Amino acid sequence: MTSTHAFWLAGRQATGEDSFDVTNPWDGRLVGTVSVPTDAQVEEAVAAAHAVRDEFAATPAHVRAAALDHVVRRLTERTEEIAQLISGENGKPIKWARGEVGRAVSVFRFAAEEARRFNGGDAQRLDTDAGGTGRLALTRRFPRGPVLGIAPFNFPLNLSAHKVAPAIAVGAPIILKPAPATPISSLILGELLAETDLPAGSWSVLTVPNDRMPALVKDERLPVISFTGSGPVGYSIMESVPRKHCTLELGGNGAAVVLGDWASEEDLDWAATRIATFSNYQGGQSCISVQRVIADSSVYDRLVPKIVAAVEALVTGDPSDAATDVGPLVDENAARRVESWVDEAVEAGARLLTGGKRDGATYAPTVLTDLPGTSKIACEEVFGPVLSVQRTDGEAEAFAAVNSSKYGLQAGVFTHDLQTAFRAHRALEVGGVVIGDVPSYRADQMPYGGAKQSGVGREGVRYAMDDYTYERVLVLTGLAL
């Protein structure tokens, strides 16, 4: 995996004048060299997307669905190859990389299914008032226009799929901008799209450096922006283009609440295992990884040792080894930042129960208690393999602790009580509440997004399709209803 990778310009491969290397964060080896488009090539891609927008919107549903079905087949056929590539450029353990490919397959399959049934239209009689006699309103959805999809490094294939598949399903041209650290997965996706009969110009994958993004973001020919990444970047995008339609999937500070009725040894073993796994999977580099554990005082003393033991049982090491649970962070700078945040918290009074050590880009899975409320780890998204555990008394105090964060992506609540589940759904200021499990569960067809500073809008195939389109009403007159 050391070849030079072209980008995809209006459905064809192209190379620019510059290039950059993609390296494996585990061992520093070269994964590939990626070509960078020139300003003129970026302009060509945007112009092509703008020019084809009406043609693509009018493409029959079966054509779009067939293209999506083709990607499903080809991703399935190339699963192991693509998983190895994700692991190489991202440092993600291979077992998680294989899971990511499987999820991307599902995303394209869901999109193919939705493309076939999307936009059948809703009919509404208007003769409910005398002035509407003989009139019928037919409401359908139409693309807002070409989409600029900006994908992150942590799920380089699946979160690219969440931009591309819904756009194809509704007939909206898309320009995908992958993360500079992990662009090759998206370029492989381009290979599969190039094998379809989609119109030229309906998609591009442009490996544009971050410092050249403002001009692309502000281009009026791209009226829709779908961004997944950090809060500061996401909100700066939205503020720079207030008249555009923006979907922002931003950070989180995921909380797992363990209430007093989740009290058997079997219950606590399950919770501890799930918390340990999903605070550290992807190296903790997931917006819905477990960062905070909020445990009722009645179970706290039994739960904490189980969490520590489960964390210490995780295998940290070479991401290409199928036994590895936790690999490196995306680069050494990310690991150094996590290290500095943990050190700051310990110096301020937090207790380190396990972990707290860095080796290059790898940071050991870490558990803290007695975390000062003003520390960065308490207030911000750590995006690393670190969790804290706090003691609370009762449901109300636990839910208040969840809501104390400025973020609100998802929360997990371990409880057996159905009434408590519904109270959690009402009380917790988050985009999703998961009962009996950690906040890290996401089904790719469900609505996914946050409250407060965790973003704006929703992903999940059908919900992104709605986001990329708008309602247009056709009023028919003189009908015998």
Side-chain angles (χ1 to χ4, degrees), residues 1 18 171:
M1 296 189 294
D18 297 321

Side-chain angles (χ1 to χ4, degrees), residues 117-478:
R117 58 177 171 252
F118 183 70
N119 214 7
D122 294 320
Q124 181 182 19
R125 294 180 66 134
L126 301 179
D127 61 354
T128 50
D129 288 316
T133 300
R135 296 178 186 265
L136 181 77
L138 180 65
T139 304
R140 294 190 292 160
R141 301 189 71 89
F142 294 85
R144 297 177 185 272
V147 177
L148 173 60
I150 306 173
F153 72 81
N154 56 332
F155 291 87
L157 178 68
N158 193 42
L159 293 184
S160 292
H162 271 285
K163 313 295 182 190
V164 172
I168 293 173
V170 301
I174 182 163
I175 292 176
L176 177 68
K177 189 272 186 195
T182 56
I184 305 177
S185 305
S186 296
L187 296 175
I188 296 295
L189 182 57
E191 287 184 24
L192 309 186
L193 292 171
E195 298 169 354
T196 71
D197 295 325
L198 293 174
S202 61
W203 61 273
S204 295
V205 183
L206 301 182
T207 48
V208 180
N210 290 341
D211 61 5
R212 288 171 54 195
M213 281 305 294
L216 196 54
V217 165
K218 293 179 182 179
D219 196 304
E220 294 183 357
R221 294 167 294 179
L222 302 173
V224 180
I225 296 176
S226 178
F227 170 85
T228 302
S230 73
V233 175
Y235 284 118
S236 70
I237 287 173
M238 189 167 67
E239 290 165 2
S240 71
V241 286
R243 291 180 177 83
K244 289 196 177 190
H245 185 84
C246 294
T247 298
L248 306 179
E249 300 300 334
L250 307 178
N253 192 333
V257 177
V258 184
L259 292 175
D261 70 311
W262 199 269
S264 72
E265 292 302 312
E266 182 180 5
D267 284 344
L268 296 179
D269 286 342
W270 163 257
T273 299
R274 298 292 285 177
I275 288 166
T277 298
F278 289 97
S279 64
N280 294 288
Y281 84 126
Q282 328 286 345
Q285 296 168 123
S286 169
C287 296
I288 47 176
S289 66
V290 181
Q291 185 171 328
R292 298 181 292 155
V293 179
I294 299 166
D296 191 85
S297 58
S298 64
V299 298
Y300 180 93
D301 290 332
R302 288 189 296 141
L303 176 64
V304 171
K306 291 178 182 290
I307 291 175
V308 172
V311 167
E312 292 178 341
L314 296 172
V315 177
T316 301
D318 185 347
S320 66
D321 187 337
T324 296
D325 299 304
V326 186
L329 276 70
V330 70
D331 56 37
E332 188 167 342
N333 286 336
R336 289 184 183 277
R337 178 189 55 77
V338 173
E339 179 183 42
S340 70
W341 285 21
V342 172
D343 290 348
E344 173 201 66
V346 171
E347 290 171 4
R351 282 199 303 135
L352 180 67
L353 300 186
T354 191
K357 297 179 181 179
R358 181 181 64 83
D359 181 7
T362 299
Y363 195 78
T366 297
V367 181
L368 300 166
T369 61
D370 302 328
L371 189 67
T374 57
S375 65
K376 289 189 180 73
I377 290 177
C379 301
E380 303 294 338
E381 180 181 40
V382 67
F383 226 59
V386 178
L387 69 89
S388 64
V389 189
Q390 73 178 92
R391 184 194 302 265
T392 54
D393 290 314
E395 174 190 309
E397 187 174 323
F399 290 174
V402 174
N403 291 339
S404 67
S405 173
K406 65 183 178 182
Y407 297 107
L409 194 46
Q410 293 197 160
V413 180
F414 289 90
T415 181
H416 294 290
D417 186 74
L418 185 60
Q419 293 293 343
T420 300
F422 274 88
R423 287 195 296 270
H425 196 203
R426 179 181 295 276
L428 297 180
E429 299 166 351
V430 296
V433 179
V434 183
I435 300 300
D437 206 351
V438 292
S440 316
Y441 176 79
R442 177 185 180 184
D444 291 286
Q445 71 271 37
M446 77 183 195
Y448 176 77
K452 299 190 284 190
Q453 293 188 30
S454 285
V456 177
R458 291 293 180 270
E459 287 194 341
V461 176
R462 176 56 195 260
Y463 303 91
M465 291 168 67
D466 286 345
D467 221 34
Y468 290 171
T469 56
Y470 68 98
E471 292 176 322
R472 187 185 299 167
V473 177
L474 174 69
V475 177
L476 302 174
T477 304

